[in-house]
Each structure stands twice: as C-alpha cells, then as structure tokens.
Amino acid sequence: MEPLTAVTIFSSLCTFLLSHKADIATKVIASATYDGLKKVLDFSSLKSKISKFFKKDEDAEKFLEKICNSESKNSAKPHRDVEDSFEEISSEKFNDELYDEIKKWIEENQGQISNVSKMEFKNEGGFNIGVQNAGKAIYNIHGDYKPKKD
C-alpha cells in the first residue's frame, strides 16, 4: 500500500500541466519543501517572471514558498489554489496572466522538473533519501531515525 502524501499546490500544478509526463517527479515534489526544491530547481527565472504581479519582491518569494509547501485543496483545478494563494499574500485581485506565466515556466522547465525524482535529500540528524527511480512507492530509508527528546 502506498503511503499517503499530501499533494502540494506546486506538485498538483505540475501534474496537471505536464499530464503525468513527470508523474514520479511530482510525487517527490509533493513530499519536498520549497527549501529542498530550490536545491534542484532554479526558481529564479520563475520569480523574475512573476514579480511584476506583486508590490514587493519578497511577496513573490512568499508566494513560491506557499505553493511549494501548502497542501492543494483543488488538485483537479490547481488554478484555484494558485489564485487563492496569490490573493492571500498580495491582498489583490488575481490576474490570470500570473497563472499563464507559471504554466509557461513549468512547460519550459519540464525536463528539470522530471529530473527531480533523482534529487537527493540529506539530513544529518535523521534519515537520507538517495537517488530513486521507480514506477511504484519508494521505500529507501537508511539508518535509524531517533527524534531528539526535549
């Protein structure tokens, strides 16, 4: 049985736009945080494309962080999650051009997004997830995970 993983807005958007071309990668994306994804995906070009929709540069960064970390409420219609996230951060009315810019960036970077399944996470205090390729659930935990006691 495959473990349940919350689907993030970004992974939902990638799955929707790439029509399962990057299916394994989007599952990895769903379990990765924005900080982890920044190590393997270059969000700088996306940030520069969407900055014009925000009053402050920091808001564009907050938006990217939100869509990469927040659970998708509308995975069949990720446009709604993008719209809600934008309006929450900017307090402005949503502009469909923002979605178009994100869509274009995902399509331009689909090769890079597909390769996310090969990314490697390292956590010195916990467990490591190495390079993985599979058609089903992946279980690859090395070492013991012992949470720190307060």
Side-chain angles (χ1 to χ4, degrees), residues 77-95:
K77 297 179 182 176
H79 183 277
R80 291 182 183 169
D81 287 327
V82 171
E83 182 176 345
D84 291 345
S85 298
F86 172 80
E87 290 176 351
E88 184 180 316
I89 290 172
S90 70
S91 300
E92 300 286 327
K93 187 173 178 355
F94 184 71
N95 182 336

Side-chain angles (χ1 to χ4, degrees), residues 95-126:
N95 182 336
D96 281 321
E97 289 179 38
L98 171 63
Y99 182 79
D100 293 339
E101 289 290 347
I102 296 168
K103 179 181 175 181
K104 192 179 342 175
W105 183 87
I106 288 173
E107 289 169 350
E108 290 169 354
N109 290 278
Q110 65 181 312
Q112 188 181 12
I113 291 167
S114 295
N115 287 329
V116 168
S117 62
K118 297 179 182 124
M119 68 192 228
E120 188 172 313
F121 295 100
K122 293 216 182 249
N123 179 346
E124 299 301 321

Side-chain angles (χ1 to χ4, degrees), residues 7-13 29 32 34 37 43 46 50 60-72 78 81-86 89 102 106:
V7 176
T8 63
I9 297 168
F10 185 68
S11 67
S12 175
L13 197 56
I29 289 170
Y34 180 57
L37 289 172
F43 284 103
L46 177 57
I50 66 169
E61 184 79 20
K62 286 179 192 173
F63 173 78
L64 290 174
E65 186 173 349
K66 182 167 184 58
I67 68 170
C68 289
N69 293 341
S70 298
E71 187 174 341
S72 177
D81 287 327
V82 171
E83 182 176 345
D84 291 345
S85 298
F86 172 80
I89 290 172
I102 296 168
I106 288 173

Side-chain angles (χ1 to χ4, degrees), residues 2 6 24 31 53 56 62 76 78 82 90 100 148:
E2 195 169 318
I24 293 170
S31 63
F53 298 100
K56 297 183 280 185
K62 286 179 192 173
V82 171
S90 70
D100 293 339
K148 294 180 184 179

Side-chain angles (χ1 to χ4, degrees), residues 51-60 86 90-92:
S51 289
K52 64 186 175 190
F53 298 100
F54 296 91
K55 290 180 181 173
K56 297 183 280 185
D57 237 18
E58 308 88 63
D59 287 346
F86 172 80
S90 70
S91 300
E92 300 286 327

